[in-house]
Amino acid sequence: MKQQLPLQAAPPRRTAAPLNRWPARLDLTQSLTGLALALFMWGHMAFVSTILISRDAMWTVSRFFEGTFFFGRPIPGLVSLVVAVIFALFIVHAALALRKFPINWRQWREMREHTRALKHDDTSLWGWQVVTGYALFFLAPAHLFVMMSRPDRIGPFESADRMWSDHYWPLYLLLLFVVELHGGIGLYRLAVKWGWFQGTDPIAARKRLKTLKWALTAFFLALGLATLVAYVRIGIEHAPLAGQPYVPSHLSNPGVAR
Ligand code: HEM
């Protein structure tokens, strides 16, 4: 006699879980905002370091961003607008980065032990990026807020007075090291993550990228330090008249060639 098999419920049909694209979207947004901020910092350093060419050069660039040469008068609100955009990018980038921060003591300890045990350059770099990123939470808003609220006080004497007479130089010194390390490591990690400049040999490419990363960081640190020293020297010299704006030579002595 044929044995009857007990009736069994059919196994549930496997349906593929809907693909959640949000982690990828957030990651891409973090990469894009980071890239935009890092590229902005290159332009920013070029603009700020025009003080090394001359005071008139820095004055001209500052008035250019206020639209003086388009509108016939400075409109500092334009600078506030640009700062607001940069501030917004910074906030989005920082918020997205928070997802990857170790969130409690155990995670911090594990990260440190893991980094020590691995002795792997790129893992250590990630640790530095977390530490410098955390410092940026506190350092960058102080600078961005003053740029946004007093855009009319950007210029050779105005900036130098802020550095020296208003005691901003320690903030800038810290910010310079932190942002150059963070930006350099960030760009390197972006290139590795998205496979830029990989060529046919990824290991050799990674080595090349790392050399380029350190060269760029060293260049921008040297440029930044030279710039900082230039503003501080002008600030010391101008301290007795702190608060007085810079008037370029062609406006104070119209007959004298620049
Ligand atoms: C649109 C936004 C920004 C504007 C208009 C701006 C403008 C300036 C100006 C005019 C200075 C000269 C000092 C002064 O006047 O106080 C300066 C210095 C500096 N800024 Fe910014 N900045 C902006 C965004 C940023 C951001 C996002 C960072 C980094 C997170 C940054 C980091 C620095 C550093 C490190 C210095 C010192 C430079 C040096 O010592 O060579 N700035 N910035």
Side-chain angles (χ1 to χ4, degrees):
M1 208 172 109
K2 222 174 172 191
Q3 213 178 345
Q4 283 253 309
L5 284 172
L7 270 180
Q8 272 184 342
R13 267 184 57 206
R14 280 189 175 215
T15 49
L19 195 61
N20 183 1
R21 294 181 193 276
W22 275 104
R25 284 187 188 126
L26 295 181
D27 231 34
L28 185 64
T29 311
Q30 193 184 354
S31 292
L32 289 176
T33 48
L35 180 66
L37 286 167
L39 296 181
F40 163 80
M41 282 315 292
W42 288 0
H44 168 283
M45 286 311 290
F47 145 59
V48 175
S49 65
T50 50
I51 197 70
L52 295 172
I53 302 173
S54 73
R55 297 172 187 191
D56 280 6
M58 199 271 175
W59 180 89
T60 306
V61 175
S62 307
R63 300 296 77 80
F64 170 81
F65 285 116
E66 289 177 337
T68 308
F69 308 118
F70 300 103
F71 305 108
R73 68 185 175 89
I75 306 178
L78 292 177
V79 176
S80 298
L81 210 69
V82 175
V83 182
V85 171
I86 297 297
F87 219 153
L89 281 177
F90 175 79
I91 291 169
V92 172
H93 184 71
L96 293 174
L98 272 180
R99 296 172 305 147
K100 299 184 176 170
F101 268 58
I103 53 163
N104 55 36
W105 173 243
R106 202 167 58 89
Q107 286 191 1
W108 272 104
R109 205 187 47 206
E110 276 170 9
M111 184 182 102
R112 218 184 41 204
E113 281 167 7
H114 188 71
T115 308
R116 280 191 187 150
L118 271 182
K119 290 192 175 61
H120 177 245
D121 245 19
D122 286 9
T123 308
S124 311
L125 283 181
W126 185 80
W128 278 108
Q129 215 186 1
V130 172
V131 172
T132 51
Y134 184 68
L136 280 171
F137 274 110
F138 305 97
L139 299 174
H143 173 50
L144 286 172
F145 187 76
V146 79
M147 290 295 110
M148 193 158 66
S149 58
R150 292 310 308 263
D152 54 314
R153 294 202 46 75
I154 295 177
F157 286 164
E158 297 88 326
S159 296
D161 288 344
R162 187 170 19 256
M163 288 248 188
W164 184 250
S165 298
D166 295 350
H167 315 295
Y168 269 66
W169 69 265
L171 171 82
Y172 284 135
L173 186 60
L174 273 176
L175 188 56
L176 178 67
F177 275 90
V178 165
V179 82
E180 291 311 335
L181 281 175
H182 190 83
I185 298 172
L187 280 177
Y188 165 76
R189 288 172 52 81
L190 272 186
V192 171
K193 178 172 186 168
W194 298 101
W196 300 339
F197 316 114
Q198 286 301 298
T200 46
D201 182 350
I203 294 175
R206 209 176 259 224
K207 236 178 163 169
R208 268 200 315 274
L209 280 173
K210 206 168 283 171
T211 310
L212 180 65
K213 174 196 105 57
W214 283 117
L216 281 172
T217 303
F219 171 75
F220 281 110
L221 274 180
L223 183 67
L225 284 174
T227 303
L228 193 72
V229 169
Y231 281 112
V232 165
R233 287 174 73 166
I234 297 173
I236 293 173
E237 186 190 306
H238 194 247
L241 298 173
Q244 217 173 66
Y246 181 76
V247 180
S249 45
H250 69 284
L251 291 181
S252 54
N253 302 310
V256 178
R258 269 167 280 159

